[in-house]
Amino acid sequence: MTAAALASAAGAAPLPLVPLALSETGPVWVQLVKAVVIFVFILQIVPMVLWAERRLLGRFQARLGPNRVGPAGLMQPLADVLKLVSKEASTPATAVPWMMAIAPVISITTAVLTLAIIPFGAPGAYGGEFALAGIDVSIGLLYFFAFGSISFYGLMLGGWASGSKYSFLGSMRAAAQLVSYEVAIGLSLLGVAMTAGSLSLVEIVQAQDNIWFIVPQFVGFLIFMVAGFAESSRPPFDLPEADAELVSGYNTEFGGMRFGSFFMAEYIEVLVISGVAVAIFLGGWHGPGPEWLGPWWVLLKMLALVFLFIWVRATLPRLRYDQLMTLGWKILLPLATLNVLVTAILVVLL
Amino acid sequence: MIFEQILFFVAAAGAIGGAVGVVVLRNPFFSVLALVGHLLALAVLFLLLRAEFVAAAQVVVYAGAVMVLYVFVVAYIGGIEEPIGPSAGPLRVLGPLFAGVLLVEIAIATIGSGLRAVSSTGPAVADDFGSPEAIGALLLQKFLIAFEAASFLLLIAAVAAVVLAQRRRGLEEAGGETPLQIGRRPPTGPQAEDPAAAGSGGPAGRAIDERTPTVAQGS
């Protein structure tokens, strides 16, 4: 982002040097403001989602949930974080300590970087010409996949470096699961990319002016959500940390804020998948009311999808490993391929 | 300009360091990780060359899909305790020889052509250079036949892999383990197909029996 400014200041090539930083995203100070606002805002939502999840799980299971710290238990996440910060980050004797230190960093960095492509508002909604997204890149969807696939290394290295069999089995499951579902999640979005004729999330949202893509691409939406559950290792796809079998899977040996980082990365990932689903299938910032309401519509739809994540967690039991593989390869993959094929034929014909 | 140059040298050092690491590191797991680092550094270099689609594809396909399988296999098979042994025989002589020849060849090519452009600003690129649309147009119009031939080649390789895997299934019919049984103890207790035989499944099975008395034997 600073590259463009430096280039124009030096009077060199007018083209931005790093193509990721397209000039449409605004001047440097706007980008900084956007980055800080999105980052801080989402990071404040994470504890609230955590609290909401625990309270809702309580309701689903006919109990109260945390209600002691603060009014209605609202301060519970703060207490949890304080507890985590004060705990020791121990390393087993068989571990590779430096790798255990960087694994949570990889997880949380990739999760936060993916946040950048979620579009929150129409270009010019709050004045200026730039889109209300961290960045608007022509490879939008691929950016999402790229960081999604790097985030796997956080889990993998964390599990492997722990030097514990439970951790190792957990990370192996994570690897197999991610490889299996990445194909389906990619194909499920291909239909939308073909219909909208672009990979940029801002342009995809703009293409939903008349009709949200959830209507013509309902199959794609279903596949994306199921595969999204699997990608974020949330129940019922939480085999990498299946607590009945693997203690806590890849993060068994992590303590303190290292564990907290993994935990937070998982919740940010849930928010990112919700945000991408909102942008791609649920019309993004489109909604009744004036244009400046756009970001709030995005947020509302995101939180509705987060509620769906929690609801599914409370409702469905964990899949068995062979069921997981069967679902991924024998049901979702053919279905997604068929969806792409039908969409391609329709796009050409219509 | 400065930002671009810093990024270039960081990525270039990363690419070279990763490539050296793949060869030098003795632990196969670290070798694979060095390769991941190398591929990510290459993606940054592609980005600097304004080829954003290639950069993304590099990360998604190589660092994402291919290397995940590498890591998966190496983590299972090659543990920390089993570093790769020293290479022996003619490889010890031929390996460095070929590497040296390749180095000289690349050096000639670089000095002969690439270095001349160092002081210039480089060729002008179109606005949509490297975008998904531009790459798609190139692949499906200009280089259609080469593209289809490459995909056909990959299809043949995939079918061949399936056929080869199919042939190995003969082992299974001869009493080998099915993939579901690998690494699992034979069922004991009430879950065993033949309760009388439970507990005689081998050392692993017996170890379990000593701690948990089985119901089937009692009734």
Side-chain angles (χ1 to χ4, degrees), chain A residues 2-3 6-7 15-20 96 98-99 138-139 142 145-146 149-150 152-153 156-157 160 168 172 175-176 179 199, chain B residues 1 3-4 7 27 29-30 33 36 40 47-48 50 52-53 56 59-60 63-64 67-68 71-72 75-76 80 125 127 131-132:
Chain A
T2 50
L6 283 169
L15 281 170
L17 293 170
V18 182
L20 270 182
V96 185
W98 63 268
M99 211 185 262
S138 65
I139 51 167
L142 288 174
F145 289 127
S149 52
I150 296 178
F152 148 81
Y153 287 102
M156 178 72 215
L157 295 187
W160 187 82
F168 179 67
M172 283 296 142
V179 168
L199 289 176
Chain B
M1 256 341 199
F3 177 75
E4 188 191 26
L7 201 58
N27 186 325
F29 192 81
F30 289 125
L33 288 185
V36 174
L40 290 179
L47 212 54
L48 284 170
R50 310 183 54 78
E52 54 208 70
F53 180 82
V59 174
V60 173
M67 293 319 290
V68 167
V71 170
F72 192 80
Y76 257 132
I80 301 180
V125 286
D127 254 351
S131 70

Short mmCIF file of all heavy atoms in Angstrom, two decimals, chain A residues 2-3 6-7 15-20 96 98-99 138-139 142 145-146 149-150 152-153 156-157 160 168 172 175-176 179 199, chain B residues 1 3-4 7 27 29-30 33 36 40 47-48 50 52-53 56 59-60 63-64 67-68 71-72 75-76 80 125 127 131-132:
data_model
loop_
_atom_site.label_atom_id
_atom_site.label_comp_id
_atom_site.label_asym_id
_atom_site.label_seq_id
_atom_site.Cartn_x
_atom_site.Cartn_y
_atom_site.Cartn_z
N THR A 2 1.95 1.20 0.77
CA THR A 2 2.82 2.36 0.78
C THR A 2 3.62 2.45 -0.51
O THR A 2 4.13 3.50 -0.85
CB THR A 2 3.80 2.29 1.96
OG1 THR A 2 4.40 1.01 1.93
CG2 THR A 2 3.09 2.51 3.28
N ALA A 3 3.69 1.35 -1.22
CA ALA A 3 4.49 1.31 -2.44
C ALA A 3 3.97 2.32 -3.46
O ALA A 3 4.75 3.05 -4.08
CB ALA A 3 4.46 -0.08 -3.04
N LEU A 6 4.95 5.82 -2.43
CA LEU A 6 6.38 6.04 -2.62
C LEU A 6 6.71 6.23 -4.09
O LEU A 6 7.48 7.09 -4.46
CB LEU A 6 7.17 4.86 -2.06
CG LEU A 6 7.31 4.82 -0.55
CD1 LEU A 6 7.86 3.49 -0.10
CD2 LEU A 6 8.22 5.94 -0.09
N ALA A 7 6.05 5.44 -4.94
CA ALA A 7 6.33 5.51 -6.37
C ALA A 7 5.93 6.87 -6.92
O ALA A 7 6.69 7.50 -7.67
CB ALA A 7 5.59 4.40 -7.09
N LEU A 15 2.05 3.34 -12.28
CA LEU A 15 1.36 2.11 -11.91
C LEU A 15 1.74 1.72 -10.49
O LEU A 15 2.88 1.92 -10.08
CB LEU A 15 1.76 0.97 -12.85
CG LEU A 15 1.08 0.95 -14.22
CD1 LEU A 15 1.74 -0.07 -15.10
CD2 LEU A 15 -0.39 0.64 -14.06
N PRO A 16 0.79 1.19 -9.71
CA PRO A 16 1.18 0.71 -8.38
C PRO A 16 2.16 -0.44 -8.52
O PRO A 16 2.03 -1.27 -9.42
CB PRO A 16 -0.15 0.24 -7.77
CG PRO A 16 -1.07 0.06 -8.92
CD PRO A 16 -0.62 1.02 -9.97
N LEU A 17 3.13 -0.47 -7.63
CA LEU A 17 4.21 -1.44 -7.80
C LEU A 17 3.76 -2.84 -7.44
O LEU A 17 4.07 -3.80 -8.12
CB LEU A 17 5.39 -1.04 -6.92
CG LEU A 17 6.03 0.25 -7.42
CD1 LEU A 17 7.02 0.77 -6.42
CD2 LEU A 17 6.70 0.00 -8.76
N VAL A 18 3.01 -2.96 -6.35
CA VAL A 18 2.49 -4.26 -5.99
C VAL A 18 1.04 -4.31 -6.45
O VAL A 18 0.23 -3.52 -6.01
CB VAL A 18 2.58 -4.48 -4.47
CG1 VAL A 18 2.07 -5.86 -4.11
CG2 VAL A 18 3.99 -4.31 -4.01
N PRO A 19 0.74 -5.20 -7.39
CA PRO A 19 -0.60 -5.18 -7.99
C PRO A 19 -1.71 -5.42 -6.98
O PRO A 19 -2.85 -5.08 -7.25
CB PRO A 19 -0.53 -6.30 -9.02
CG PRO A 19 0.67 -7.09 -8.70
CD PRO A 19 1.60 -6.21 -7.99
N LEU A 20 -1.39 -6.00 -5.82
CA LEU A 20 -2.44 -6.24 -4.84
C LEU A 20 -3.04 -4.93 -4.36
O LEU A 20 -4.20 -4.86 -4.01
CB LEU A 20 -1.87 -7.01 -3.64
CG LEU A 20 -1.95 -8.52 -3.74
CD1 LEU A 20 -1.40 -9.13 -2.48
CD2 LEU A 20 -3.36 -8.97 -3.98
N VAL A 96 9.46 -29.40 19.57
CA VAL A 96 10.38 -28.48 18.88
C VAL A 96 9.93 -27.08 19.28
O VAL A 96 9.00 -26.54 18.70
CB VAL A 96 10.29 -28.66 17.35
CG1 VAL A 96 11.31 -27.80 16.66
CG2 VAL A 96 10.46 -30.11 16.97
N TRP A 98 10.76 -23.82 19.03
CA TRP A 98 10.55 -22.63 18.18
C TRP A 98 9.37 -22.84 17.25
O TRP A 98 8.63 -21.91 16.93
CB TRP A 98 11.82 -22.29 17.40
CG TRP A 98 12.27 -23.35 16.43
CD1 TRP A 98 13.15 -24.35 16.68
CD2 TRP A 98 11.89 -23.50 15.07
NE1 TRP A 98 13.32 -25.12 15.56
CE2 TRP A 98 12.57 -24.62 14.55
CE3 TRP A 98 11.03 -22.80 14.21
CZ2 TRP A 98 12.42 -25.07 13.24
CZ3 TRP A 98 10.90 -23.24 12.90
CH2 TRP A 98 11.58 -24.36 12.43
N MET A 99 9.15 -24.08 16.84
CA MET A 99 8.03 -24.32 15.93
C MET A 99 6.71 -24.22 16.68
O MET A 99 5.71 -23.75 16.15
CB MET A 99 8.19 -25.70 15.30
CG MET A 99 7.61 -25.76 13.91
SD MET A 99 7.69 -27.41 13.30
CE MET A 99 9.15 -27.34 12.32
N SER A 138 -8.24 -8.28 -7.79
CA SER A 138 -8.88 -8.98 -8.91
C SER A 138 -8.88 -10.48 -8.68
O SER A 138 -9.66 -11.20 -9.29
CB SER A 138 -8.15 -8.64 -10.21
OG SER A 138 -6.84 -9.15 -10.15
N ILE A 139 -8.01 -10.95 -7.79
CA ILE A 139 -7.97 -12.39 -7.55
C ILE A 139 -8.74 -12.76 -6.29
O ILE A 139 -8.59 -13.86 -5.77
CB ILE A 139 -6.51 -12.88 -7.40
CG1 ILE A 139 -5.77 -12.03 -6.39
CG2 ILE A 139 -5.81 -12.90 -8.72
CD1 ILE A 139 -4.46 -12.63 -5.97
N LEU A 142 -9.33 -16.19 -4.94
CA LEU A 142 -8.09 -16.96 -4.83
C LEU A 142 -7.28 -16.53 -3.61
O LEU A 142 -6.60 -17.34 -2.99
CB LEU A 142 -7.25 -16.79 -6.10
CG LEU A 142 -7.80 -17.51 -7.31
CD1 LEU A 142 -6.99 -17.15 -8.54
CD2 LEU A 142 -7.77 -19.00 -7.09
N PHE A 145 -8.58 -18.42 -0.79
CA PHE A 145 -8.09 -19.80 -0.78
C PHE A 145 -6.62 -19.87 -0.40
O PHE A 145 -6.18 -20.78 0.30
CB PHE A 145 -8.27 -20.45 -2.15
CG PHE A 145 -9.69 -20.74 -2.46
CD1 PHE A 145 -10.27 -20.29 -3.62
CD2 PHE A 145 -10.47 -21.45 -1.56
CE1 PHE A 145 -11.60 -20.54 -3.88
CE2 PHE A 145 -11.78 -21.70 -1.82
CZ PHE A 145 -12.36 -21.25 -2.98
N ALA A 146 -5.85 -18.90 -0.90
CA ALA A 146 -4.41 -18.92 -0.65
C ALA A 146 -4.14 -18.88 0.85
O ALA A 146 -3.40 -19.72 1.38
CB ALA A 146 -3.74 -17.74 -1.36
N SER A 149 -5.26 -21.96 2.68
CA SER A 149 -4.39 -23.13 2.63
C SER A 149 -3.12 -22.92 3.44
O SER A 149 -2.56 -23.89 3.95
CB SER A 149 -4.06 -23.48 1.17
OG SER A 149 -3.57 -22.36 0.50
N ILE A 150 -2.68 -21.66 3.60
CA ILE A 150 -1.50 -21.46 4.45
C ILE A 150 -1.87 -21.67 5.92
O ILE A 150 -1.07 -22.16 6.71
CB ILE A 150 -0.92 -20.05 4.24
CG1 ILE A 150 -0.43 -19.90 2.81
CG2 ILE A 150 0.26 -19.80 5.17
CD1 ILE A 150 0.11 -18.54 2.52
N PHE A 152 -3.47 -23.83 7.21
CA PHE A 152 -3.33 -25.23 7.57
C PHE A 152 -1.98 -25.50 8.25
O PHE A 152 -1.89 -26.32 9.16
CB PHE A 152 -3.48 -26.09 6.31
CG PHE A 152 -2.66 -27.33 6.34
CD1 PHE A 152 -3.10 -28.45 7.01
CD2 PHE A 152 -1.43 -27.38 5.70
CE1 PHE A 152 -2.34 -29.59 7.05
CE2 PHE A 152 -0.67 -28.51 5.73
CZ PHE A 152 -1.12 -29.62 6.41
N TYR A 153 -0.93 -24.76 7.82
CA TYR A 153 0.39 -25.03 8.38
C TYR A 153 0.45 -24.70 9.86
O TYR A 153 1.26 -25.28 10.59
CB TYR A 153 1.47 -24.26 7.61
CG TYR A 153 1.71 -24.86 6.26
CD1 TYR A 153 1.18 -24.30 5.12
CD2 TYR A 153 2.42 -26.04 6.13
CE1 TYR A 153 1.35 -24.87 3.88
CE2 TYR A 153 2.61 -26.62 4.90
CZ TYR A 153 2.07 -26.03 3.78
OH TYR A 153 2.24 -26.63 2.57
N MET A 156 -0.88 -27.83 11.39
CA MET A 156 0.02 -28.96 11.11
C MET A 156 1.31 -28.84 11.92
O MET A 156 1.71 -29.78 12.61
CB MET A 156 0.33 -28.93 9.61
CG MET A 156 1.27 -29.98 9.15
SD MET A 156 0.47 -31.58 9.16
CE MET A 156 1.85 -32.59 9.63
N LEU A 157 1.95 -27.66 11.86
CA LEU A 157 3.21 -27.48 12.58
C LEU A 157 2.97 -27.56 14.09
O LEU A 157 3.78 -28.14 14.82
CB LEU A 157 3.85 -26.13 12.22
CG LEU A 157 4.29 -25.98 10.78
CD1 LEU A 157 5.06 -24.70 10.61
CD2 LEU A 157 5.14 -27.16 10.37
N TRP A 160 2.57 -31.24 14.94
CA TRP A 160 3.79 -32.02 14.74
C TRP A 160 4.86 -31.62 15.75
O TRP A 160 5.55 -32.46 16.33
CB TRP A 160 4.31 -31.81 13.32
CG TRP A 160 5.46 -32.70 12.99
CD1 TRP A 160 5.42 -33.99 12.59
CD2 TRP A 160 6.84 -32.35 13.04
NE1 TRP A 160 6.67 -34.47 12.39
CE2 TRP A 160 7.57 -33.48 12.67
CE3 TRP A 160 7.53 -31.18 13.38
CZ2 TRP A 160 8.95 -33.50 12.60
CZ3 TRP A 160 8.91 -31.18 13.32
CH2 TRP A 160 9.60 -32.34 12.93
N PHE A 168 -0.21 -35.08 17.15
CA PHE A 168 0.17 -35.50 15.81
C PHE A 168 -1.04 -36.05 15.07
O PHE A 168 -1.31 -35.68 13.92
CB PHE A 168 1.28 -36.54 15.91
CG PHE A 168 1.74 -37.05 14.58
CD1 PHE A 168 2.39 -36.20 13.71
CD2 PHE A 168 1.49 -38.34 14.19
CE1 PHE A 168 2.80 -36.66 12.48
CE2 PHE A 168 1.90 -38.81 12.96
CZ PHE A 168 2.56 -37.96 12.11
N MET A 172 -2.74 -34.60 11.66
CA MET A 172 -2.90 -35.44 10.48
C MET A 172 -4.35 -35.43 10.00
O MET A 172 -4.64 -35.38 8.81
CB MET A 172 -2.48 -36.87 10.80
CG MET A 172 -1.00 -37.04 10.84
SD MET A 172 -0.39 -36.72 9.20
CE MET A 172 1.08 -35.90 9.55
N ALA A 175 -4.97 -32.25 8.22
CA ALA A 175 -4.44 -32.24 6.86
C ALA A 175 -5.39 -32.96 5.91
O ALA A 175 -5.78 -32.42 4.87
CB ALA A 175 -3.06 -32.91 6.84
N ALA A 176 -5.79 -34.17 6.27
CA ALA A 176 -6.66 -34.94 5.39
C ALA A 176 -7.99 -34.21 5.17
O ALA A 176 -8.51 -34.15 4.06
CB ALA A 176 -6.91 -36.32 5.98
N VAL A 179 -7.51 -31.06 2.85
CA VAL A 179 -7.30 -31.42 1.45
C VAL A 179 -8.61 -31.88 0.82
O VAL A 179 -8.95 -31.51 -0.30
CB VAL A 179 -6.22 -32.52 1.34
CG1 VAL A 179 -6.21 -33.11 -0.05
CG2 VAL A 179 -4.87 -31.97 1.68
N LEU A 199 -13.70 -12.46 -10.09
CA LEU A 199 -13.26 -13.08 -8.84
C LEU A 199 -13.24 -12.08 -7.70
O LEU A 199 -13.11 -12.44 -6.55
CB LEU A 199 -11.86 -13.69 -9.00
CG LEU A 199 -11.73 -14.94 -9.86
CD1 LEU A 199 -10.28 -15.33 -9.99
CD2 LEU A 199 -12.51 -16.08 -9.27
N MET B 1 9.66 2.79 -4.66
CA MET B 1 10.71 1.96 -5.24
C MET B 1 11.45 1.18 -4.15
O MET B 1 11.77 0.02 -4.30
CB MET B 1 11.72 2.86 -5.96
CG MET B 1 11.63 2.87 -7.47
SD MET B 1 10.79 1.50 -8.23
CE MET B 1 11.37 1.56 -9.88
N PHE B 3 10.36 0.19 -1.23
CA PHE B 3 9.55 -0.90 -0.71
C PHE B 3 9.65 -2.11 -1.62
O PHE B 3 9.85 -3.24 -1.16
CB PHE B 3 8.10 -0.42 -0.61
CG PHE B 3 7.16 -1.48 -0.14
CD1 PHE B 3 7.14 -1.85 1.19
CD2 PHE B 3 6.30 -2.09 -1.03
CE1 PHE B 3 6.26 -2.82 1.63
CE2 PHE B 3 5.43 -3.07 -0.60
CZ PHE B 3 5.41 -3.43 0.73
N GLU B 4 9.56 -1.85 -2.92
CA GLU B 4 9.63 -2.94 -3.89
C GLU B 4 10.97 -3.65 -3.82
O GLU B 4 11.06 -4.87 -3.84
CB GLU B 4 9.39 -2.39 -5.29
CG GLU B 4 9.25 -3.48 -6.34
CD GLU B 4 9.28 -2.91 -7.74
OE1 GLU B 4 9.88 -1.83 -7.92
OE2 GLU B 4 8.71 -3.52 -8.63
N LEU B 7 11.30 -5.72 -0.67
CA LEU B 7 10.49 -6.93 -0.81
C LEU B 7 11.17 -7.92 -1.74
O LEU B 7 11.20 -9.13 -1.48
CB LEU B 7 9.11 -6.53 -1.36
CG LEU B 7 7.97 -7.52 -1.12
CD1 LEU B 7 7.82 -7.75 0.37
CD2 LEU B 7 6.68 -6.99 -1.71
N ASN B 27 16.79 -33.49 8.27
CA ASN B 27 15.48 -34.00 8.66
C ASN B 27 14.49 -33.77 7.51
O ASN B 27 14.30 -32.63 7.08
CB ASN B 27 15.01 -33.25 9.92
CG ASN B 27 13.73 -33.83 10.47
OD1 ASN B 27 12.87 -34.27 9.71
ND2 ASN B 27 13.60 -33.83 11.77
N PHE B 29 11.36 -33.67 7.33
CA PHE B 29 10.24 -32.77 7.63
C PHE B 29 10.66 -31.31 7.46
O PHE B 29 9.94 -30.51 6.86
CB PHE B 29 9.76 -33.02 9.05
CG PHE B 29 8.44 -32.36 9.36
CD1 PHE B 29 7.26 -32.95 8.97
CD2 PHE B 29 8.40 -31.16 10.03
CE1 PHE B 29 6.04 -32.35 9.24
CE2 PHE B 29 7.18 -30.55 10.31
CZ PHE B 29 6.01 -31.14 9.92
N PHE B 30 11.86 -30.99 7.95
CA PHE B 30 12.34 -29.62 7.79
C PHE B 30 12.63 -29.31 6.33
O PHE B 30 12.46 -28.18 5.87
CB PHE B 30 13.58 -29.38 8.65
CG PHE B 30 13.27 -29.33 10.13
CD1 PHE B 30 13.92 -30.15 11.01
CD2 PHE B 30 12.31 -28.47 10.61
CE1 PHE B 30 13.62 -30.11 12.37
CE2 PHE B 30 12.00 -28.41 11.95
CZ PHE B 30 12.66 -29.24 12.83
N LEU B 33 9.45 -28.35 4.81
CA LEU B 33 9.06 -27.00 5.24
C LEU B 33 9.89 -25.95 4.52
O LEU B 33 9.38 -24.88 4.16
CB LEU B 33 9.23 -26.86 6.75
CG LEU B 33 8.19 -27.62 7.57
CD1 LEU B 33 8.37 -27.29 9.03
CD2 LEU B 33 6.80 -27.28 7.13
N VAL B 36 8.33 -25.41 1.30
CA VAL B 36 7.15 -24.56 1.42
C VAL B 36 7.58 -23.09 1.45
O VAL B 36 7.01 -22.24 0.75
CB VAL B 36 6.35 -24.92 2.69
CG1 VAL B 36 5.22 -23.93 2.90
CG2 VAL B 36 5.81 -26.32 2.61
N LEU B 40 6.60 -20.13 -1.21
CA LEU B 40 5.94 -18.88 -0.81
C LEU B 40 6.76 -17.68 -1.27
O LEU B 40 6.21 -16.68 -1.74
CB LEU B 40 5.74 -18.85 0.70
CG LEU B 40 4.70 -19.83 1.24
CD1 LEU B 40 4.61 -19.72 2.74
CD2 LEU B 40 3.35 -19.58 0.61
N LEU B 47 4.38 -11.89 -7.57
CA LEU B 47 3.57 -10.72 -7.27
C LEU B 47 4.31 -9.45 -7.69
O LEU B 47 3.72 -8.53 -8.25
CB LEU B 47 3.28 -10.69 -5.76
CG LEU B 47 1.96 -10.09 -5.31
CD1 LEU B 47 0.81 -10.75 -6.02
CD2 LEU B 47 1.83 -10.27 -3.82
N LEU B 48 5.61 -9.43 -7.43
CA LEU B 48 6.40 -8.26 -7.83
C LEU B 48 6.47 -8.13 -9.34
O LEU B 48 6.65 -7.04 -9.87
CB LEU B 48 7.82 -8.37 -7.24
CG LEU B 48 7.91 -8.05 -5.76
CD1 LEU B 48 9.28 -8.40 -5.24
CD2 LEU B 48 7.62 -6.58 -5.53
N ARG B 50 4.05 -8.50 -11.19
CA ARG B 50 2.69 -8.15 -11.55
C ARG B 50 1.90 -9.34 -12.08
O ARG B 50 0.97 -9.17 -12.85
CB ARG B 50 2.67 -7.01 -12.57
CG ARG B 50 3.54 -5.83 -12.19
CD ARG B 50 3.43 -4.73 -13.19
NE ARG B 50 2.03 -4.36 -13.40
CZ ARG B 50 1.34 -3.62 -12.57
NH1 ARG B 50 1.89 -3.17 -11.49
NH2 ARG B 50 0.09 -3.31 -12.83
N GLU B 52 -0.30 -11.51 -10.54
CA GLU B 52 -1.00 -11.83 -9.29
C GLU B 52 -1.73 -13.17 -9.38
O GLU B 52 -1.83 -13.89 -8.39
CB GLU B 52 -1.98 -10.71 -8.95
CG GLU B 52 -2.94 -10.38 -10.06
CD GLU B 52 -3.40 -8.93 -10.01
OE1 GLU B 52 -2.56 -8.06 -10.29
OE2 GLU B 52 -4.56 -8.69 -9.70
N PHE B 53 -2.25 -13.49 -10.57
CA PHE B 53 -2.96 -14.76 -10.68
C PHE B 53 -2.00 -15.93 -10.50
O PHE B 53 -2.29 -16.89 -9.79
CB PHE B 53 -3.66 -14.86 -12.04
CG PHE B 53 -4.41 -16.15 -12.22
CD1 PHE B 53 -5.68 -16.30 -11.69
CD2 PHE B 53 -3.85 -17.22 -12.88
CE1 PHE B 53 -6.38 -17.49 -11.82
CE2 PHE B 53 -4.53 -18.42 -13.02
CZ PHE B 53 -5.80 -18.54 -12.49
N ALA B 56 -1.15 -16.29 -6.85
CA ALA B 56 -2.20 -16.94 -6.06
C ALA B 56 -2.26 -18.43 -6.38
O ALA B 56 -2.40 -19.27 -5.48
CB ALA B 56 -3.55 -16.29 -6.35
N VAL B 59 0.45 -20.30 -4.60
CA VAL B 59 0.19 -20.57 -3.19
C VAL B 59 -0.90 -21.64 -3.04
O VAL B 59 -0.75 -22.59 -2.28
CB VAL B 59 -0.23 -19.28 -2.46
CG1 VAL B 59 -0.63 -19.58 -1.04
CG2 VAL B 59 0.90 -18.28 -2.48
N VAL B 60 -1.98 -21.49 -3.80
CA VAL B 60 -3.11 -22.42 -3.62
C VAL B 60 -2.70 -23.83 -4.03
O VAL B 60 -2.94 -24.79 -3.31
CB VAL B 60 -4.33 -21.94 -4.44
CG1 VAL B 60 -5.41 -23.00 -4.39
CG2 VAL B 60 -4.84 -20.63 -3.90
N ALA B 63 1.93 -24.51 -2.51
CA ALA B 63 2.05 -24.43 -1.05
C ALA B 63 0.82 -25.01 -0.38
O ALA B 63 0.90 -25.59 0.70
CB ALA B 63 2.26 -22.97 -0.64
N GLY B 64 -0.34 -24.88 -1.01
CA GLY B 64 -1.57 -25.34 -0.39
C GLY B 64 -1.80 -26.83 -0.55
O GLY B 64 -1.85 -27.56 0.42
N MET B 67 2.03 -29.39 -1.30
CA MET B 67 2.91 -29.49 -0.14
C MET B 67 2.20 -30.07 1.08
O MET B 67 2.83 -30.67 1.95
CB MET B 67 3.52 -28.13 0.19
CG MET B 67 4.47 -27.60 -0.85
SD MET B 67 5.57 -28.85 -1.51
CE MET B 67 6.60 -29.14 -0.10
N VAL B 68 0.88 -29.87 1.15
CA VAL B 68 0.14 -30.49 2.25
C VAL B 68 0.30 -32.00 2.19
O VAL B 68 0.55 -32.67 3.20
CB VAL B 68 -1.35 -30.09 2.20
CG1 VAL B 68 -2.17 -30.97 3.13
CG2 VAL B 68 -1.52 -28.64 2.59
N VAL B 71 3.87 -32.89 3.24
CA VAL B 71 4.02 -32.80 4.69
C VAL B 71 3.32 -34.00 5.35
O VAL B 71 3.86 -34.62 6.26
CB VAL B 71 3.41 -31.48 5.20
CG1 VAL B 71 3.31 -31.48 6.71
CG2 VAL B 71 4.24 -30.31 4.74
N PHE B 72 2.15 -34.30 4.83
CA PHE B 72 1.37 -35.42 5.34
C PHE B 72 2.18 -36.71 5.29
O PHE B 72 2.33 -37.41 6.29
CB PHE B 72 0.12 -35.53 4.46
CG PHE B 72 -0.94 -36.42 5.00
CD1 PHE B 72 -1.80 -35.97 5.97
CD2 PHE B 72 -1.11 -37.70 4.50
CE1 PHE B 72 -2.80 -36.78 6.46
CE2 PHE B 72 -2.10 -38.52 4.99
CZ PHE B 72 -2.95 -38.06 5.97
N ALA B 75 5.51 -36.55 7.42
CA ALA B 75 5.26 -36.58 8.86
C ALA B 75 4.90 -38.00 9.29
O ALA B 75 5.22 -38.41 10.40
CB ALA B 75 4.13 -35.62 9.21
N TYR B 76 4.25 -38.75 8.43
CA TYR B 76 3.90 -40.12 8.78
C TYR B 76 5.10 -41.05 8.71
O TYR B 76 5.34 -41.87 9.59
CB TYR B 76 2.81 -40.65 7.83
CG TYR B 76 1.44 -40.65 8.45
CD1 TYR B 76 0.36 -40.13 7.77
CD2 TYR B 76 1.23 -41.18 9.72
CE1 TYR B 76 -0.89 -40.12 8.34
CE2 TYR B 76 -0.01 -41.17 10.29
CZ TYR B 76 -1.07 -40.65 9.60
OH TYR B 76 -2.31 -40.64 10.15
N ILE B 80 11.52 -37.70 13.34
CA ILE B 80 12.71 -36.94 13.71
C ILE B 80 13.90 -37.89 13.84
O ILE B 80 15.03 -37.53 13.54
CB ILE B 80 12.49 -36.23 15.06
CG1 ILE B 80 11.30 -35.30 14.95
CG2 ILE B 80 13.72 -35.46 15.49
CD1 ILE B 80 11.00 -34.56 16.23
N VAL B 125 3.95 -2.77 -19.14
CA VAL B 125 2.97 -3.85 -19.06
C VAL B 125 1.57 -3.26 -19.18
O VAL B 125 1.33 -2.13 -18.76
CB VAL B 125 3.09 -4.63 -17.73
CG1 VAL B 125 4.31 -5.50 -17.75
CG2 VAL B 125 3.10 -3.69 -16.56
N ASP B 127 -2.45 -2.78 -18.43
CA ASP B 127 -3.11 -2.59 -17.15
C ASP B 127 -3.61 -3.91 -16.56
O ASP B 127 -3.55 -4.12 -15.35
CB ASP B 127 -4.29 -1.63 -17.32
CG ASP B 127 -3.97 -0.26 -16.75
OD1 ASP B 127 -2.93 -0.16 -16.08
OD2 ASP B 127 -4.75 0.67 -16.98
N SER B 131 -3.82 -10.43 -14.66
CA SER B 131 -5.12 -10.61 -14.01
C SER B 131 -5.74 -11.93 -14.47
O SER B 131 -5.34 -12.49 -15.49
CB SER B 131 -6.05 -9.45 -14.38
OG SER B 131 -6.40 -9.55 -15.73
N PRO B 132 -6.70 -12.45 -13.72
CA PRO B 132 -7.32 -13.72 -14.11
C PRO B 132 -7.89 -13.68 -15.53
O PRO B 132 -7.77 -14.66 -16.28
CB PRO B 132 -8.45 -13.90 -13.08
CG PRO B 132 -8.03 -13.09 -11.91
CD PRO B 132 -7.21 -11.97 -12.44
#
